[in-house]
Amino acid sequence: MNRVIPCVLMRAGTSRGPFFLREWLPADDTARDEALIGAIGASDLLQVDGVGGGSTLTSKVAIVSKSAQPGCDVDYLFAQVGVGQRSVDTRPNCGNMLSGVAPFAIEQGLVAAQDGETTVRVFNVNTRSRIDVTVLTPGGRVSYDGETGIDGVAGTAAPIRLNFLDAWGAVTGSLFPTGQRIDTIEGVEVTCIDAAMPLVILRAQDLGLTGRESPSDLDADAALLARIESIRCAAGRAMGLGDVSASVVPKPVIASKGDDANSITSRYFTPRRCHASHAVTGAIGVATAFALPGTVISSDLDQAGVRAISVLHPQGRIEVEVAVAGFGSEARVHRAALVRTARKILQGELHIPPYVFSNPMEGDKPMNRFIAPVAAAVMAAAAPLAMAWPDKTITVVVPTAAGGGNDAMARTIAQKLGPLLGQTVIIDNRAGANGAIASEFVARAAPDGHTLMFGYIATHAMNPALQKLRYDPVNDFAPVGLVGYSPTLMVANATVPVKDVKDLVAQLKAKPDKFTYASAGNGTAPHYAAELFKLSAGVVMLGAPYKGSAPAITDTIAGQTQLMFPSLYTALPHVKAGKLRALAIAGPKRSALLPEVPTLKEAGVDGVDVQQWYGFFAPARTPRPVIEQLNKALNQVLADKEVVKRMEEHGADVETSTPEKFAELVKSELAKWKGVVQRARLTAE
């Protein structure tokens, strides 16, 4: 049975996609993302089973709700849905889709329209930045008709003015996240900038290009695309974004001289194909880099005040008005504005197919739930599976959002595992419920070796120790092998006025609840570590649970929360970039990567020892020959010097095991953390 939800399909700027009120979509984020995949038809390249258009520009979604932020009218969450792959990425922003948010919000009754024009203050959830969007509302009604044209769109429409108020450093915490305006990556000078969208900007001439090439010509140059992607991934790490090989940010830009002193030519990538025109957020980043001195594309003019800059793209130009304050190295852009248009295409009901949902919409049929796995296991045992397996794509389910430490580790291993097994290995991020959604999905999957889980201490020890779940961490899984360990690090936002752990404890005792800690969710290692710290130090702190470490650490960097206990693997790039300050190691010994950082015991707080571990699991009853083959391939990957080096550089110690040894670890860890729950009187609330 199809799930039916309201939907408004809009052309916004040079993009197109469905707009939803948050309340129209499933409340659970995983089910929400699956609904978006079904809405767009992301499972195939042509997207014939949804409203997508077979392009990243027409595979976009806007989710709008009444704002929870002071001074803002609506919250806007942008989602980039995959083309030919089941993926939803909510890390980037889209300025084109943003231009449809205010008209949609007014028509849905979230904002009262004024007579003449209405300005809506939009809070972009992705980048935690504010934008004032002004639309024409004669007689208190949205007007889409007008004489404004934008390059890349046929016809004209009413103007929509976007005024970006604080988009600089919104994603990474800094306008120039590497600390420099020019970096050299793989022999090429680049500017890494975070202005509305994280970008890595390259000069066309440094790549042997004129910068005026057509998108089709650039897309046809496989060697060029491979080089750009290699530079992009290296830039992502330098910007503190971690492994961006599976992410759409940062976006690469190839720039060259414009037609005059106030224009710059840009070829914007999405990121592995050249944009047919140009993204709005990308245009702001390019205009910012052009207006400020010291970048690879700086203008010859060093002037303060309001300046109109033209970003020239394959289908015309985008006019960006930037306000510059200061000169030379002190120059800063503090506002950027531009004009877009939007048009409502249709409004009605969208029918979402049931196959996109991992959980049955009407509940499991009791007999099928128990008989299907058993029947599959019997058939698997009877067939010569060890000889035939694997005979299709292998899916590794990761229980956290893309961009976190678990996701980065899983992708690093998957890249090497596929060639060894002779099949494609893909990552399926199923964040939510502190790993329970992913765990339940894998526990119910066919035990044929084609669905695996990248589990860790939270999914198979901490969360099950804290609360009753719909899966058994021991009986519902077949352990494949251990991957390694990573110590837990206590970090603070770089601006928090705390000298060290002793000072933190003193401040918290003087003023309980002065600081808030972020966690990857209740029942995860950052949650346990924080609660053990509170218990051992005798202090009180508020907790803010997130759906994974990536959003938790992002908000800690942004200052929404002040403290966190992430794994060293997750935190290290941000500590090195100066965005987070390491206060202590929540483990038995110091880390060789941060030798100056004491353990919590050395800092005067004993009893907080949270060593995180990671490993691969298959569903229970997966045939023994398949488990052995997987264990052998996994251990071979973990013996690869490149993999070991990559993981060690991020603070994880690789350690392999047999399936039996890994099973023993899971049982002992589960018992250990059940004891901690009882002693500390922890709850899931």
Side-chain angles (χ1 to χ4, degrees):
M1 178 186 296
N2 289 342
R3 179 175 291 185
V4 181
I5 57 176
C7 171
V8 176
L9 185 66
M10 297 186 72
R11 190 272 300 164
T14 55
S15 297
R16 189 195 74 211
F19 280 64
F20 301 102
L21 289 179
R22 182 64 185 91
E23 64 198 54
W24 295 347
L25 296 166
D28 175 74
D29 284 354
T30 298
R32 176 205 69 189
D33 289 352
E34 290 171 341
L36 301 185
I37 287 168
I40 292 294
S43 299
D44 70 274
L45 288 169
L46 296 178
Q47 299 179 335
V48 295
D49 205 30
V51 298
S55 163
T56 56
L57 305 184
T58 53
S59 302
K60 301 184 175 188
V61 174
I63 302 172
V64 183
S65 58
K66 198 74 176 174
S67 184
Q69 302 296 320
C72 295
D73 298 308
V74 297
D75 289 344
Y76 157 53
L77 176 66
F78 167 71
Q80 180 69 63
V81 182
V83 180
Q85 62 180 10
R86 291 169 52 91
S87 66
V88 176
D89 193 348
T90 56
R91 281 176 292 178
N93 181 21
C94 178
N96 276 303
M97 290 292 280
L98 170 66
S99 61
V101 170
F104 173 79
I106 292 170
E107 291 190 331
Q108 296 303 320
L110 298 184
V111 179
Q114 307 299 312
D115 185 13
E117 64 178 34
T118 302
T119 296
V120 178
R121 177 154 292 182
V122 178
F123 178 76
N124 178 232
V125 179
N126 310 75
T127 59
R128 308 197 67 80
S129 59
R130 300 166 303 150
I131 310 97
D132 280 346
V133 183
T134 302
V135 299
L136 298 185
T137 51
R141 296 177 63 87
V142 172
S143 174
Y144 293 102
D145 297 328
E147 300 303 318
T148 299
I150 60 173
D151 292 324
V153 176
T156 61
I160 297 175
R161 184 175 178 82
L162 310 180
N163 190 3
F164 288 77
L165 304 177
D166 50 8
W168 292 269
V171 176
T172 65
S174 174
L175 176 61
F176 296 104
T178 67
Q180 303 181 100
R181 298 195 178 192
I182 295 180
D183 295 280
T184 300
I185 297 178
E186 298 185 7
V188 179
E189 285 191 333
V190 304
T191 288
C192 298
I193 189 169
D194 178 7
M197 173 70 71
L199 304 176
V200 52
I201 304 175
L202 306 88
R203 298 187 195 95
Q205 64 186 39
D206 293 343
L207 298 174
L209 303 170
T210 66
R212 301 286 178 130
E213 289 82 0
S214 69
S216 59
D217 287 342
L218 293 171
D219 289 346
D221 192 336
L224 173 67
L225 295 181
R227 188 180 184 194
I228 293 173
E229 177 63 8
S230 178
I231 292 173
R232 185 186 80 87
C233 288
R237 290 191 292 273
M239 296 168 77
L241 296 172
D243 180 4
V244 299
S245 58
S247 173
V248 297
V249 292
K251 299 290 179 69
V253 169
I254 297 176
S256 57
K257 288 194 175 296
D259 294 337
D260 53 40
N262 289 305
S263 65
I264 180 77
T265 301
S266 177
R267 294 295 182 263
Y268 179 87
F269 290 75
T270 64
R272 297 170 187 86
R273 295 186 63 185
C274 185
H275 200 298
S277 53
H278 207 288
V280 166
T281 47
I284 290 174
V286 171
T288 299
F290 182 66
L292 295 178
T295 74
V296 294
I297 58 167
S298 293
S299 164
D300 293 334
L301 302 176
D302 183 5
Q303 61 184 47
V306 177
R307 183 177 177 188
I309 295 172
S310 297
V311 177
L312 310 182
H313 58 76
Q315 295 192 26
R317 65 180 60 211
I318 296 177
E319 303 289 347
V320 183
E321 183 182 276
V322 298
V324 181
F327 297 90
S329 61
E330 300 301 315
R332 293 290 184 272
V333 171
H334 59 85
R335 182 178 60 81
L338 50 85
V339 172
R340 297 274 88 186
T341 66
R343 186 176 77 86
K344 182 165 66 175
I345 298 173
L346 62 86
Q347 180 170 348
E349 293 181 337
L350 194 61
H351 293 245
I352 310 294
Y355 68 80
V356 300
F357 294 99
S358 55
N359 290 320
M361 288 181 288
E362 297 181 347
D364 292 324
K365 298 292 186 287
M367 292 302 292
N368 286 344
R369 182 178 175 188
F370 291 103
I371 292 175
V374 175
V378 171
M379 293 176 64
L385 198 53
M387 299 297 293
W389 181 88
D391 60 1
K392 60 181 180 180
T393 296
I394 296 171
T395 299
V396 175
V397 178
V398 176
T400 55
N406 294 31
D407 177 67
M409 264 189 271
R411 292 181 188 277
T412 297
I413 294 168
Q415 288 174 359
K416 299 283 186 177
L417 198 59
L420 288 178
L421 296 175
Q423 283 289 345
T424 300
V425 178
I426 63 171
I427 298 297
D428 183 0
N429 295 95
R430 291 179 180 265
N434 310 328
I437 290 173
S439 301
E440 290 172 21
F441 178 79
V442 175
R444 291 202 304 266
D448 58 7
H450 291 98
T451 302
L452 306 175
M453 181 177 181
F454 187 81
Y456 69 121
I457 189 173
T459 57
H460 283 72
M462 289 180 162
N463 202 21
L466 187 65
Q467 58 186 320
K468 186 174 178 59
L469 300 168
R470 292 171 55 190
Y471 70 93
D472 187 309
V474 174
N475 296 323
D476 287 346
F477 296 89
V480 173
L482 185 64
V483 167
Y485 294 87
S486 180
T488 298
L489 189 64
M490 183 184 193
V491 299
N493 173 278
T495 63
V496 171
V498 170
K499 297 177 184 177
D500 50 27
V501 173
K502 184 178 179 180
D503 182 33
L504 171 65
V505 171
Q507 290 193 46
L508 285 171
K509 286 186 174 180
K511 188 176 181 181
D513 284 342
K514 179 178 182 179
F515 300 119
T516 299
Y517 76 84
S519 77
N522 292 338
T524 62
H527 171 231
Y528 271 83
E531 291 299 317
L532 285 173
F533 171 77
K534 287 166 55 179
L535 183 69
S536 301
V539 297
V540 178
M541 280 194 300
L542 294 173
Y546 288 79
K547 295 182 183 298
S549 62
I553 208 161
T554 296
D555 266 15
T556 305
I557 291 171
Q560 303 299 320
T561 53
Q562 291 76 49
L563 301 164
M564 189 179 172
F565 288 80
S567 69
L568 181 59
Y569 191 94
T570 298
L572 189 61
H574 305 293
V575 172
K576 287 185 173 179
K579 299 173 191 173
L580 292 172
R581 186 152 53 92
L583 296 178
I585 299 286
K589 62 179 182 179
R590 296 193 181 200
S591 168
L593 294 173
L594 296 171
E596 74 286 357
V597 178
T599 65
L600 273 172
K601 184 176 182 179
E602 291 173 330
V605 180
D606 198 3
V608 188
D609 186 354
V610 184
Q611 183 92 324
Q612 302 193 43
W613 52 261
Y614 314 85
F616 276 78
F617 295 87
R621 299 178 297 278
T622 299
R624 179 66 190 181
V626 172
I627 296 296
E628 291 175 349
Q629 193 173 339
L630 276 168
N631 178 261
K632 180 181 178 181
L634 174 62
N635 291 346
Q636 190 173 338
V637 169
L638 295 174
D640 186 302
K641 292 182 179 179
E642 180 184 342
V643 172
V644 172
K645 182 174 181 287
R646 192 168 181 180
M647 292 182 66
E648 287 181 345
E649 285 176 345
H650 284 76
D653 295 321
V654 171
E655 185 169 328
T656 61
S657 74
T658 63
E660 292 77 16
K661 287 291 185 184
F662 190 29
E664 291 174 8
L665 172 69
V666 172
K667 291 177 182 177
S668 65
E669 285 284 290
L670 183 60
K672 169 187 172 181
W673 292 107
K674 282 182 177 179
V676 171
V677 168
Q678 292 176 350
R679 292 196 306 274
R681 297 181 181 179
L682 299 180
T683 68
E685 299 302 323

